[in-house]
Each structure stands twice: as structure tokens, then as C-alpha cells.
Amino acid sequence: MKKIKTTILIGTVLFSAISGSNKMFAQNTAKPKSTLSIVATKLPFEMPEVQIPRFKADTLNIVDFGAIPNTEELCTKAINNAIQKCSESGGGVVVIPAGLWTTGPIKMKSNVNLHTQNGAFISFTSDLNQYQLIESYFEGNKVLRCESPIMGIDLENIAITGQGIFDGNGSAWRPVKIGKMTAGQWEELIKSGGVLSKDGKIWYPSEGAYIGNEEKNKLPKMPTVENMQPYKQSLRPVMVSLVNCKKLLLDGVTFQNSPAWNVNPLMCENLTLSNLTIRNPWYSQNGDGLDIESCRVGTVTNCRFDVGDDAICIKSGKDKEGRERGKPSELFVIKDCVVYHAHGGFVIGSEMSGGVKNLFVKNLTFNGTDCGLRFKSVRGRGGVVENIWMEDIRMNNIPTDAINFNLYYFGKAIDEDPQTGEVTVEKMPVSETTPAFRNMYFKNIYVNGAKQALKIMGIPEMPVENLQFKNMIIRSDIGIQMNYTNKIDFENIDLRLDKPGIAASISNSQNVKIESFKASGENQLFWVGGAETKAISLQSTANKIVFDKVKLEESVKNQVKIIQ
């Protein structure tokens, strides 16, 4: 692994606003007087310095444009007029003061910092008539969707900052599954109205939402803005949609309760996301936290996530459309973040058809997150994920896998041996639709409780390749299982099993080296099998490997080297 010593300065810009005599003043960031938190990080790849937006000191208050706080009167026009005037006059700061504010979609403009004061609570209206159907994006593809609560397209030099809270009123949009609520909650939800699925297990907020999800055969064959109006509640938008924007800063605010994904920069460049709190109910359908999609050059630092789906997600488009777009997510530093509930703490995929490369991820904490580090795709996606560095990752109370690679996501279920985890899959021809995961480095991983330590489910025609795991202490029920991998190195691993079983099983894999390996609680140290297995090297930190704790299938015995 070649490491290029490069230093990047990550700046977190702290904005301040001072109120007095009905005038608002914001710090002039064109001449940086604001406090900068500078973190110098040596990176294993070359990365340009992230460009941070700068703004004129000119400040506009939404109150001066007719916004009325602490009522249900919509402030949509006032907020958007203030943003429009600010942008047209050369840019500056638009301030939302403390108070309860109700609004429809907010449309960002270039050279504007939308700054929220401490105590500002911005609630997006549940009146869906305020959200027009537009050509938009979701899960990597162009689709017809409703306008996002916050949106911006083809903008430059923009920011949303401060200590305010943006609430997307997602319950007006989202379906809910019965298994994610208590009996009492489910009963109250049904009493509120809405429509149940035929099996009674999913609640929809309206008939249109139900048809749009459950009876798609009833939808127009050629959807248009006009003919999809009755079903618009099924076309849930992401909450913060920023498309093809440059020099973007999100700092300090809370984004919560989104209709679908929460924050989704798409095809953006030079992103600084810092000190954010991103929240969704744990039962929220498609309730992702942050989805960075086909973006390049940015940082995510000191953010907190508690969401209903994946938390920190890196994506780059889906299937043919993503491959043809050809915009990878690349050149990101992600560090000093905490994830509470989420399906995955840090995730790449499954929409990664445009590729993902050159990411440095450091100092993340997952507490009660369903899965820790999650990498997922499926045949048909294509795309290459490579050059990913992850270090200093801590996990506590992980219900499933601490680290998981699944190249069968949304694909046909495959049969696993209940003891060894071995799978046998037919090899397919390699093409542009074959996904590839390679060149990934994991160091200093500490897990206090997980169902499984590590699970890799590669595909035979493109095994998960060149992974390095170094300095790991993991307490889990199940150990390590690998299928269809190549060039996998383990060094200094301390595996502590809470249930007896196999510490590490290797199937249909090649060039695997395990050294300085320590296990406790197991009743079998290693299992190795699979017709395609070659060049396996095993070493334990114990004085001698006890051979009755090592099981080698007859077909691989001459391919396994045990180092005492």
C-alpha cells in the first residue's frame, strides 16, 4: 500500500448573529474573523484543500419580509423572498430568529448563508399542496418526486448554519410497518386515519400513498406532473436536496423527521458538513441520515446521527443510469462522528454504480447501531469501490454484524451452512454490471458486543479483494466468516466469543493470511473449505495451534499453511 503524505486543513466555520434594535448583523466571512477549528490530518491519498464558502456581512431578517413566528401562518414567501433578495444583491446572510416558524419549501440561492438562531424551530407544513411535483432524483435515478423541504440546484457558495432545528414533518408522508411499533402505538396510528395494506401490516397516510406503493399497476403508464397528482403522497422527497452545487457548508443545525432521506447532496463539490445533528424516528421508512451521492472533495466532522435507516451513506447512482453518469463519490474525510440507532453506521452502497474511492474515515463511535461498517451491492450495479481507509472505530451493542460485506443485497437469497457460513455460488461472466470492492484498510477497530464480528459475502467472478484488518478487539456471538475473497490480511486480532463456535471460517477464498490471531470462547479455532480455496496461512498467538481445533476440508489441506 503506497501512502502519500498529504496534509489537509479542515476548517469548521462558526457563524454568529447578534440581535439589537431590530437589526441583525452576521460576521463577514469574506475576511475571516470567525473562529476556525483547524484539524491537520495526514492522508494516504492526495486531496485538494476543501473550499469553504464566504459571505458578505449584509444581513436580512425574515421578520422584515413578513414572517410571523409562533403561529401556523406560512412563512414560505417571506423566507424565499429574503433569500432571493439577498442573492440578487450580491449575497450575505438571511437570519431566522428564535421562534416557531411554519413554512413550505425553502429554495436556496447562490451566495446566501441561511443562518438560524438558537431557539429557531422551522417546521415544514403537512399541507402537501405546498410541495409541487417536479423532475428530481431518488436512489440514484431521475424520477418524478415532490419538492424537497429544502432544495437548491446549480448553486455556488451556499450555507445553512446556526443552532436552529429544521423539522420535515415526515409523519405526514411516510408509511409505517406494524413490526416497528408497539400495539398501543399501532392502534393510535390506525385511529388517526390513513389506509392499511391488504395484509394489514403497513399503514399509509392516504389512498394515494397506498396505491403508489402497493398497486403500481394502477399508476399511469407514462407518469406526468398532471396525472400523478392523486398519488403524490407516495412520491416522498428527501428533506435537504442540493444538486450540482459548489462550495457548500452545513454547520451546527439539526435536521430531523424527514419524509424520506434526510440530507442528500448530489453531484456537489467542496462540501463542509460539521457539527450537525441528524435525527429521524427509528421506525421511519427510508429514513437515512446523510447520503453523499456522486460528490467530490469534502469533509464530514463532529456530527451526530440517530435515524431510521443508514446513517452516513456514500453512494454514486444506481445501475445503468449511475454508470452512464460516471460520477464517483471521492476525496472525503469523515471523522469524529457518533451514530446511535441506524441500520448501518458507516455505509457504502448499495447505489454505487458510479464508483466510490479515496475516503479516509476516522474516529467514529456506533452505539446500538444495527450494523457497524456496512458495504453492499448486487450483480447488475457495476461500479468500483476502492481505496478506503478506516481507523479508530468503536462500537457498542451492535445487534447484527460489526463489519459486513454483502454483494447479494436485494438479490436472490443464497443458502449458507449454519455452522461454517459457507456458500457456493455459480460464477457469472464479468461485465460492466459486475460490482467490485477492493483496496480497503481497517485499523484499530474495537467492538464491545455484536452478533457477528465480520461477514464477507463476495461473488465468485469478482471476489472482495485486498482487505487489511489490523489491531482489532471484538466481542461477539459469532466470529469471522469469509466467502469469495482474495488477498485478505489479518494482523493482531483479539476475538472474544460469547457463544461457542468457529472463530474464523474461510470458504472459496485465496491468498488469506491470518497472523497474531487470538481467540477465546471458541470450540473451534479455524475452519477452511471450498473448492476454490488456495494459499491460506494461519497463525495464532498461542504457543501452539491445537490441531483438533482446526478443521480443514480434504480438498484444501495442501493449500493451508499452519505457522506455529
Side-chain angles (χ1 to χ4, degrees), residues 297-423:
V297 188
T299 62
V300 180
T301 56
N302 195 37
C303 295
R304 300 292 182 267
F305 299 86
D306 193 343
V307 295
D309 209 314
D310 291 331
I312 305 169
C313 315
I314 311 298
K315 301 176 181 290
S316 62
K318 184 177 180 180
D319 300 338
K320 182 179 179 181
E321 190 168 326
R323 295 192 300 271
E324 291 180 347
R325 182 193 299 158
K327 289 183 177 290
S329 283
E330 60 181 335
L331 301 169
F332 272 85
V333 173
I334 298 168
K335 63 196 303 267
D336 306 332
C337 296
V338 176
V339 178
Y340 296 96
H341 184 270
H343 287 181
F346 175 84
V347 182
I348 297 180
S350 66
E351 303 89 3
M352 38 64 71
S353 301
V356 177
K357 60 184 178 179
N358 294 334
L359 306 183
F360 182 74
V361 182
K362 181 181 177 67
N363 195 32
L364 304 187
T365 301
F366 306 145
N367 186 22
T369 310
D370 289 350
C371 179
L373 305 175
R374 190 181 189 196
F375 309 93
K376 53 185 178 175
S377 188
V378 69
R379 287 163 165 167
R381 287 280 144 92
V384 177
V385 174
E386 62 184 349
N387 304 336
I388 314 296
W389 284 262
M390 309 197 69
E391 62 182 51
D392 302 330
I393 312 295
R394 295 162 299 278
M395 309 184 203
N396 181 61
N397 189 26
I398 304 300
T400 63
D401 303 338
I403 306 173
N404 177 277
F405 286 79
N406 182 5
L407 275 295
Y408 302 89
Y409 191 71
F410 282 138
K412 183 180 179 181
I414 55 178
D415 293 328
E416 301 178 46
D417 185 284
Q419 298 299 319
T420 65
E422 180 185 17
V423 301

Side-chain angles (χ1 to χ4, degrees), residues 157 176 231 292 317 330:
N157 207 56
V176 179
Y231 317 105
I292 295 173
E330 60 181 335

Side-chain angles (χ1 to χ4, degrees), residues 17 24-27 56-61 64 86 91-95:
M24 304 298 299
F25 303 91
Q27 236 166 263
K56 292 171 60 178
D58 298 358
T59 305
L60 302 176
N61 189 336
D64 296 330
C86 183
V93 181
V94 171
V95 174

Side-chain angles (χ1 to χ4, degrees), residues 251-293:
D251 180 84
V253 298
T254 295
F255 297 110
Q256 66 180 36
N257 198 14
S258 57
W261 294 354
N262 204 314
V263 178
N264 180 208
L266 170 62
M267 296 183 290
C268 294
E269 188 169 342
N270 285 294
L271 292 77
T272 303
L273 313 182
S274 55
N275 309 307
L276 300 175
T277 298
I278 297 181
R279 305 172 60 238
N280 272 333
W282 77 272
Y283 56 83
S284 54
Q285 193 75 6
N286 307 111
D288 289 18
L290 170 64
D291 293 276
I292 295 173
E293 189 173 5

Side-chain angles (χ1 to χ4, degrees), residues 21-81:
S21 303
N22 295 324
K23 295 181 179 180
M24 304 298 299
F25 303 91
Q27 236 166 263
N28 182 352
T29 56
K31 297 179 180 179
K33 299 177 183 177
S34 56
T35 303
L36 293 178
S37 172
I38 304 296
V39 182
T41 302
K42 291 182 179 179
L43 298 179
F45 51 84
E46 293 184 354
M47 176 169 168
E49 183 174 348
V50 181
Q51 298 178 37
I52 301 173
R54 301 285 186 258
F55 304 95
K56 292 171 60 178
D58 298 358
T59 305
L60 302 176
N61 189 336
I62 65 168
V63 173
D64 296 330
F65 287 79
I68 301 175
N70 309 318
T71 70
E72 293 185 1
E73 184 172 338
L74 292 180
C75 302
T76 315
K77 185 176 180 181
I79 294 173
N80 287 323
N81 283 350

Side-chain angles (χ1 to χ4, degrees), residues 85-303:
K85 182 171 182 180
C86 183
S87 179
E88 290 175 348
S89 61
V93 181
V94 171
V95 174
I96 301 180
L100 300 174
W101 310 90
T102 304
T103 182
I106 293 175
K107 300 180 180 180
M108 296 295 295
K109 299 293 181 182
S110 293
N111 301 312
V112 174
N113 170 19
L114 183 63
H115 182 81
T116 60
Q117 286 191 319
N118 190 0
F121 187 95
I122 302 97
S123 176
F124 290 95
T125 178
S126 60
D127 177 8
L128 304 194
N129 292 322
Q130 302 299 317
Y131 304 89
Q132 302 304 309
L133 283 173
I134 60 172
E135 291 289 337
S136 184
Y137 296 86
F138 188 62
E139 293 185 336
N141 291 333
K142 290 182 180 179
V143 291
L144 199 65
R145 306 292 286 188
C146 289
E147 289 179 312
S148 291
I150 300 174
M151 70 181 106
I153 302 174
D154 299 332
L155 306 180
E156 187 166 352
N157 207 56
I158 58 172
I160 302 174
T161 64
Q163 300 178 60
I165 298 171
F166 291 91
D167 188 291
N169 214 338
S171 59
W173 298 86
R174 294 188 304 262
V176 179
K177 295 180 179 179
I178 188 172
K180 295 188 174 183
M181 308 199 89
T182 66
Q185 290 171 332
W186 184 251
E187 185 179 349
E188 288 299 314
L189 184 64
I190 292 174
K191 287 180 180 178
S192 70
V195 178
L196 286 177
S197 61
K198 289 181 180 178
D199 61 8
K201 294 182 178 180
I202 303 177
W203 174 90
Y204 293 95
S206 70
E207 180 73 17
Y210 166 78
I211 293 174
N213 284 279
E214 297 277 341
E215 298 183 356
K216 294 185 178 181
N217 60 308
K218 293 184 178 180
L219 297 177
K221 294 290 188 289
M222 298 289 292
T224 65
V225 169
E226 292 73 23
N227 64 27
M228 286 299 292
Q229 287 296 328
Y231 317 105
K232 67 183 296 183
Q233 205 160 7
S234 67
L235 303 176
R236 296 176 288 139
V238 301
M239 180 170 167
V240 182
S241 175
L242 300 167
V243 180
N244 198 35
C245 297
K246 296 181 179 179
K247 289 197 290 184
L248 162 66
L249 172 68
L250 303 178
D251 180 84
V253 298
T254 295
F255 297 110
Q256 66 180 36
N257 198 14
S258 57
W261 294 354
N262 204 314
V263 178
N264 180 208
L266 170 62
M267 296 183 290
C268 294
E269 188 169 342
N270 285 294
L271 292 77
T272 303
L273 313 182
S274 55
N275 309 307
L276 300 175
T277 298
I278 297 181
R279 305 172 60 238
N280 272 333
W282 77 272
Y283 56 83
S284 54
Q285 193 75 6
N286 307 111
D288 289 18
L290 170 64
D291 293 276
I292 295 173
E293 189 173 5
S294 295
C295 295
R296 68 184 310 273
V297 188
T299 62
V300 180
T301 56
N302 195 37
C303 295

